[in-house]
Amino acid sequence: MSDKPSLPLKSAVKKMPFRGKSEKRFCLLLQKVSAHRCKSEIKKEIFMPIIQTKNLNYIYNKGTPSAKTALEDINISIEKGEFVGVIGHTGSGKSTFIQHLNGLLKPSSGKVLIDDIDIWENKKELKKLRLDVGLVFQYPEYQLFDETVYKDISFGPLNMGLSKNETDEAIKKAIEFAGIDENLLEKSPFELSGGQKRRVAIAGVLAMRPKVLVLDEPAAGLDPAGRKMILEQIKEYHQKQKNTVLLVSHSMEDIAKYATKVLVLNNGKKLMYDTVNNVFKQSEQLLRIGLSMPQITRVVHALIQKGYPIKPDVFTVNEAIKEILKLVLSDQ
């Protein structure tokens, strides 16, 4: 049964068998109920998970002697607007996990839901749902293929069915987020530097306006300046668009600096999914599975061991500066 009223509020009240003050009182009551329901629906919409996996399992070469379980019973719920860092040692299942989110891999068992829709329930809807999750592979510049930067970025939007004007608008926003100069649009992507190619590849995904942006080591192989530029642009995109971002990285520093939550995978299983602070507090457990702590955290712990009264839950350089400044000022 639908929650929507079959008649507008005023019309419904007029058809009821009373008039005068009773009508007004009842109308006010209905308005209050309607407003409460509206708030409830808005709240539900805001906090509804955009990504859910339910008992997700994946086996490579299933049914053969070389079968290998890559994901085992992954249950996770990621809310809209989160910036999730995905970490784990090599072979922990990170790449396999993210490839399930837009249907590149089909679960051996279990479900993947985007906006509460099982992406494999209706194959006709799979193409549309894939567009909701933009996936940027490691070294995405190797996927550039067209004659000009403009044509490369426009390939996705045009194949989505956007008009020329809509595509141009999408490209304008995408290159702004990716930090690409408009003068580069008519150049060949193969004339660009490594960092510029990387940004063009990311812009090609952003131009398709995904609800979820998934990036697999987007700064891999770049020099420190290029690395910082890419990650800052992703951060700015997240802050302005309020979209959900998943960042796969081996850098604990990057995860601590940019993510709001962290998913830790170990041998294909979900070990942790929590806030950055709560995950990095579990330093002994992370070290046991071959992960490190952010370098600045190790520095802070060394200072604590030498007797300096600094709080141990420091995971970024900015946090460390604040703590050390407090210490210096308290000694004056």
Side-chain angles (χ1 to χ4, degrees):
M1 186 176 177
S2 174
D3 285 337
K4 283 189 174 182
S6 57
L7 287 169
L9 188 62
K10 286 184 180 178
S11 301
V13 170
K14 283 180 181 178
K15 288 183 175 290
M16 292 180 183
F18 50 78
R19 293 290 181 269
K21 289 182 180 179
S22 296
E23 177 183 332
K24 288 180 182 178
R25 285 175 187 157
F26 193 72
C27 187
L28 285 170
L29 178 62
L30 280 179
Q31 285 174 337
K32 286 181 181 178
V33 170
S34 178
H36 177 75
R37 177 179 290 174
C38 182
K39 286 178 184 176
S40 175
E41 289 301 315
I42 290 170
K43 188 175 180 181
K44 182 181 176 183
E45 174 68 19
I46 291 171
F47 294 104
M48 186 180 78
I50 185 130
I51 296 170
Q52 294 178 79
T53 63
K54 297 183 177 181
N55 305 113
L56 173 61
N57 292 275
Y58 187 75
I59 302 170
Y60 284 106
N61 304 319
K62 188 176 181 180
T64 72
S66 59
K68 177 177 172 55
T69 299
L71 296 175
E72 187 175 345
D73 205 29
I74 303 287
N75 289 284
I76 192 167
S77 181
I78 298 173
E79 291 178 356
K80 293 180 180 180
E82 291 285 9
F83 194 130
V84 179
V86 183
I87 61 175
H89 58 76
T90 302
S92 62
K94 301 185 300 295
S95 294
T96 303
F97 174 74
I98 63 172
Q99 287 179 62
H100 276 82
L101 301 183
N102 73 343
L104 285 179
L105 292 177
K106 185 177 181 179
S108 299
S109 63
K111 294 181 179 182
V112 177
L113 295 92
I114 304 296
D115 261 345
D116 214 30
I117 298 171
D118 182 346
I119 66 173
W120 289 100
E121 192 172 46
N122 184 349
K123 288 187 179 180
K124 290 180 181 178
E125 293 292 315
L126 185 57
K127 183 178 178 182
K128 176 184 173 296
L129 288 165
R130 276 178 173 157
L131 297 175
D132 288 339
V133 181
L135 179 55
V136 180
F137 288 102
Q138 196 170 359
Y139 300 106
E141 58 272 23
Y142 294 151
Q143 299 163 46
L144 300 177
F145 64 93
D146 227 319
E147 296 173 357
T148 67
V149 169
Y150 173 86
K151 287 183 178 178
D152 221 304
I153 298 174
S154 68
F155 180 82
L158 289 173
N159 278 277
M160 286 170 61
L162 296 187
S163 68
K164 178 72 166 57
N165 288 341
E166 289 172 326
T167 297
D168 286 345
E169 184 62 30
I171 289 173
K172 184 179 177 182
K173 288 183 179 178
I175 64 172
E176 181 185 343
F177 280 125
I180 298 167
D181 194 300
E182 205 168 329
N183 296 328
L184 296 178
L185 287 177
E186 294 308 317
K187 282 197 169 189
S188 165
F190 307 106
E191 296 175 14
L192 307 181
S193 69
Q196 287 173 325
K197 287 179 183 176
R198 184 78 53 92
R199 292 197 292 277
V200 168
I202 291 172
V205 175
L206 295 181
M208 291 189 285
R209 302 169 178 170
K211 294 179 181 178
V212 179
L213 178 64
V214 184
L215 305 112
D216 191 355
E217 295 280 3
L222 297 179
D223 60 38
R227 179 184 195 87
K228 182 178 179 182
M229 183 179 289
I230 287 279
L231 293 170
E232 287 294 329
Q233 283 156 351
I234 293 166
K235 177 185 175 182
E236 183 182 356
Y237 165 82
H238 174 252
Q239 288 175 338
K240 287 186 177 178
Q241 295 296 102
K242 311 298 183 188
N243 282 2
T244 307
V245 174
L246 276 75
L247 172 67
V248 177
S249 179
H250 282 97
S251 168
M252 300 302 108
E253 287 75 20
D254 292 344
I255 296 299
K257 185 175 181 180
Y258 297 106
T260 55
K261 284 193 173 179
V262 183
L263 168 63
V264 185
L265 295 176
N266 183 46
N267 295 327
K269 297 178 182 178
K270 182 185 80 173
L271 184 67
M272 291 182 241
Y273 178 61
D274 209 330
T275 63
V276 172
N277 278 12
N278 286 343
V279 167
F280 283 129
K281 279 178 184 177
Q282 310 297 320
S283 56
E284 290 184 8
Q285 196 171 4
L286 293 174
L287 291 169
R288 274 201 302 271
I289 65 168
L291 297 177
S292 63
M293 299 297 291
Q295 190 173 23
I296 193 65
T297 306
R298 298 201 296 273
V299 170
V300 167
H301 286 181
L303 289 172
I304 291 169
Q305 286 175 0
K306 290 182 179 293
Y308 292 99
I310 303 174
K311 72 173 188 177
D313 305 336
V314 172
F315 307 114
T316 67
V317 172
N318 286 341
E319 288 174 349
I321 290 170
K322 288 177 184 176
E323 286 300 309
I324 292 169
L325 277 174
K326 283 182 193 174
L327 193 62
V328 171
L329 292 172
S330 67
D331 287 341
Q332 290 180 353

